[in-house]
Amino acid sequence: LSTSPSPLLVADVGCADGVNGFPVLGALMERAGATLEELSVFHLDLPGSDWMALARNLLEHPDSYRRRQGTTFFSAMVPGSF
């Protein structure tokens, strides 16, 4: 990870409801530390996944990366077969 303040772009492939990826994203954010000003996460999974559960977990789950203060977030949910 770079120590310069720049956006961090992450693809969470096979994200399901997002919960399994939260610890990894948290570790990345912790490693980036104070230099992380912007985080973009692209959640990718099959169209039949429970996208509402992912949206709910992004906002409400205690381990969600979106709970971090001082960071701007962009979260995209991308259904498809990859």
Side-chain angles (χ1 to χ4, degrees), residues 8-76:
L8 178 60
L9 306 173
V10 177
D12 183 7
V13 180
C15 63
D17 64 1
V19 175
N20 290 334
F22 290 163
V24 175
L25 291 165
L28 286 170
M29 293 172 70
E30 185 175 316
R31 173 69 173 92
T35 62
L36 183 60
E37 295 177 1
E38 182 179 321
L39 173 67
S40 294
V41 181
F42 298 87
H43 298 278
L44 311 161
D45 211 336
L46 297 172
S49 291
D50 188 351
W51 295 97
M52 290 305 296
L54 173 59
R56 185 173 43 258
N57 285 333
L58 286 171
L59 296 174
E60 299 173 0
H61 195 280
D63 295 333
S64 175
Y65 60 87
R66 296 188 60 89
R67 293 188 171 267
R68 178 183 169 121
Q69 300 295 316
T71 302
T72 301
F73 300 104
F74 172 77
S75 302

